[in-house]
Amino acid sequence: MENNNILVIGGAGYIGSHQVKDLLNNNFNVYVLDNLSTGHRKMIDSRASFIEGDIRDYDLLCKVMKENMINAVMHFAAFSIVPQSVEQPLKYFNNNVYGFEVLLEAMEECSVDKLIFSSTAATYGEHKQMPIDENYSTNPTNPYGESKLIMEKMVKWQANASNLKYVVLRYFNVAGAAFDSSVGELHDPETHLIPIVLECALHKREFVSIFGNDYDTEDGTCIRDYIHVVDLCDAHTKSLDYLMQGNKSDTFNLGYGHGFSVKQIIESTQRVTKKDIPIRYDERRAGDPAILIASSLKAQKALNWSPKYNNIDIIIETAYKFYRKNIEK
Ligand code: UFG
C-alpha cells in the first residue's frame, strides 16, 4: 500500500496507544512520537517505530517526517484534564496551542498534508438541548476546552492557506480498554470517573467522591456520553481513509447519543464487578458542564462509521479487565 506512513504523536498515551494498534491492524506503517510525560513506553505496540521527543521540537518533527516519508499525522499529544486546566491554564496553552502551531509549521515545511486531530466536547460548553450536533455554538467553560477550540481555528485557517486537509474529531467521554487488555488507561494521578470507580472496586481507593448532586439532571449528578475507545479509534482510521479518498476537511462529533449520570456509572460498575462501591458527596468541580451528549450522525454517514460497543457494561468490563491485569497485585 502506498501513502501509508502515519505519524502518531502521543502514541504512548491512552487513546494514542489504541490507535497505533488499529492502524497496524489495518496495514499502515506507524511511527510514534511521544515525550512519555504522561504516556508509557510499554503501551506502544512493538510493531511501531518509536521516537522519544516533544511536539514543540520543530527540528525533530521535520526530521521524523522527512526521514520516514510521512503521509499523514494523527495528534494525541495534548493535555486533557479539565480540573488541572482550570488551575494551570498556561500549561495547557503552551503544550496544546503552541505545540500545535509548531506541528502545523513542520507539516507545511515537510509537505505533509493530512491531519487527524483530537478535539473535544469541552469546546461546546453548556447547552440545554441534547444531543449536541456540530452546528451548536462553542463556548468552553474551561481552559482545556478553550485550548482545543483555538487549535480547531488554527487548523481551519492553515488549511485555508495551504494544501492541508484535516478531520477534527470532537470526542465525548472516552472509556474502556482493548478487548485483549494489552492497552488501557493508566494516569497518575487518575482524575477520570470510570478508572476512579474501578480503583474503588479493586480496593485501591476507599470511596468515590461525587462532584455535585444538585445539577439540573434526573438524579442531580452530571451526565456524560461514554464512548468505547475501540469504536473511537475505528472512527479515526475511517477518517484517514476519508481524507485519502480526497474528501473535504470537516469536523465530527464522536459519541453514542445517550448519556449516563455519575450515579449510573457507579451502579453499572457494581453490576459488572459485583463489588460494593462506597460514595461520598462533594462540592461541584470547577469547569464541569451538567450534561454532554453527542449527536454523531454526521460522522456515521460521512465516515461510514458504525459503532459496535455501545453498551456501558461492556465499556466498564473491558476497563476492569485491564485494571485487574495492571494494578491488581
Ligand atoms: N466525577 C466525579 N468524581 C470523580 C471524577 C469525576 O463525580 O472522582 C464526575 C465529574 O465531575 C464529571 C464526570 O464524573 O461530571 C466525568 O468526569 P471525567 O473527569 O471522567 O471526565 P470529564 O467529563 O471531565 O472530561 C472528559 C475528558 C475531557 C473531555 C471531556 C468531554 O477528560 O478530555 O470528557 O466530555 F473533554
Side-chain angles (χ1 to χ4, degrees):
M1 200 179 13
E2 276 179 25
N3 300 326
N4 64 346
N5 298 327
I6 313 301
L7 176 61
V8 180
I9 306 182
Y14 168 44
I15 300 170
S17 60
H18 288 81
Q19 187 61 46
V20 167
K21 284 187 180 289
D22 196 70
L23 289 169
L24 289 164
N25 293 341
N26 282 285
N27 300 318
F28 288 98
N29 300 323
V30 181
Y31 300 83
V32 171
L33 182 105
D34 198 300
N35 66 6
L36 300 180
S37 66
T38 57
H40 307 270
R41 180 73 184 83
K42 65 176 183 184
M43 291 289 163
I44 305 171
D45 192 299
S46 58
R47 294 170 291 170
S49 308
F50 174 54
I51 305 106
E52 187 169 345
D54 195 283
I55 191 170
R56 290 159 289 195
D57 186 342
Y58 174 80
D59 292 340
L60 179 65
L61 289 180
C62 287
K63 182 169 178 282
V64 171
M65 287 192 220
K66 282 187 179 148
E67 276 179 3
N68 301 298
M69 292 184 292
I70 294 297
N71 303 107
V73 174
M74 290 195 180
H75 174 26
F76 299 94
F79 291 138
S80 63
I81 298 173
V82 170
Q84 187 184 59
S85 79
V86 176
E87 277 161 27
Q88 301 174 63
L90 298 181
K91 178 177 164 132
Y92 279 68
F93 292 117
N94 183 281
N95 186 53
N96 296 7
V97 175
Y98 169 61
F100 194 50
E101 194 265 332
V102 175
L103 172 63
L104 292 175
E105 273 191 42
M107 288 180 70
E108 179 164 55
E109 166 66 21
C110 304
S111 306
V112 177
D113 61 0
K114 292 178 197 66
L115 174 67
I116 313 291
F117 158 56
S118 316
S119 188
T120 170
T123 53
Y124 290 113
E126 287 278 0
H127 286 275
K128 289 261 175 281
Q129 280 304 107
M130 295 292 142
I132 295 174
D133 71 30
E134 292 82 356
N135 297 318
Y136 273 45
S137 61
T138 47
N139 192 13
T141 56
N142 54 65
Y144 164 63
E146 193 77 67
S147 73
K148 289 279 177 156
L149 188 58
I150 296 169
M151 293 160 78
E152 286 193 12
K153 291 180 178 171
M154 288 163 69
V155 75
K156 183 187 83 175
W157 288 114
Q158 174 60 5
N160 187 52
S162 67
N163 292 331
L164 180 68
K165 293 274 184 282
Y166 65 85
V167 167
V168 167
L169 297 170
R170 290 182 177 155
Y171 311 166
F172 283 61
N173 287 55
V174 189
F179 284 81
D180 63 2
S181 304
S182 56
V183 283
E185 190 170 5
L186 279 183
H187 292 123
D188 187 18
E190 188 51 77
T191 62
H192 291 128
L193 180 64
I194 291 178
I196 283 178
V197 178
L198 287 169
E199 283 178 5
C200 287
L202 292 167
H203 306 295
K204 298 286 171 194
R205 198 183 272 264
E206 276 176 45
F207 58 89
V208 180
S209 297
I210 296 184
F211 298 138
N213 62 348
D214 57 351
Y215 284 96
D216 188 13
T217 62
E218 209 157 292
D219 65 19
T221 66
C222 286
I223 294 178
R224 295 287 182 274
D225 184 342
Y226 294 88
I227 173 172
H228 199 291
V229 63
V230 171
D231 273 336
L232 183 101
C233 290
D234 180 40
H236 285 68
T237 305
K238 290 195 159 68
S239 299
L240 192 57
D241 291 341
Y242 169 93
L243 287 185
M244 286 180 166
Q245 285 159 16
N247 290 300
K248 71 177 177 68
S249 299
D250 212 339
T251 299
F252 303 106
N253 285 342
L254 295 178
Y256 288 147
H258 55 82
F260 293 93
S261 70
V262 174
K263 279 187 174 170
Q264 286 173 320
I265 293 297
I266 294 169
E267 282 158 19
S268 168
T269 308
Q270 296 191 138
R271 203 160 51 232
V272 168
T273 63
K274 303 188 174 57
K275 301 274 176 64
D276 195 38
I277 315 275
I279 61 165
R280 285 195 196 164
Y281 291 108
D282 208 333
E283 297 289 297
R284 285 184 180 202
R285 196 176 67 176
D288 274 346
I291 310 181
L292 286 170
I293 297 173
S295 163
S296 55
L297 295 176
K298 185 178 168 193
Q300 292 182 37
K301 204 161 161 239
L303 305 176
N304 201 13
W305 174 61
S306 35
K308 296 191 191 68
Y309 308 111
N310 179 356
N311 177 312
I312 197 64
D313 287 8
I314 293 180
I315 291 176
I316 292 177
E317 201 177 322
T318 53
Y320 185 47
K321 262 181 72 186
F322 174 78
Y323 286 121
R324 285 175 72 178
K325 191 173 147 194
N326 283 279
I327 67 171
E328 193 178 51
K329 292 279 178 292

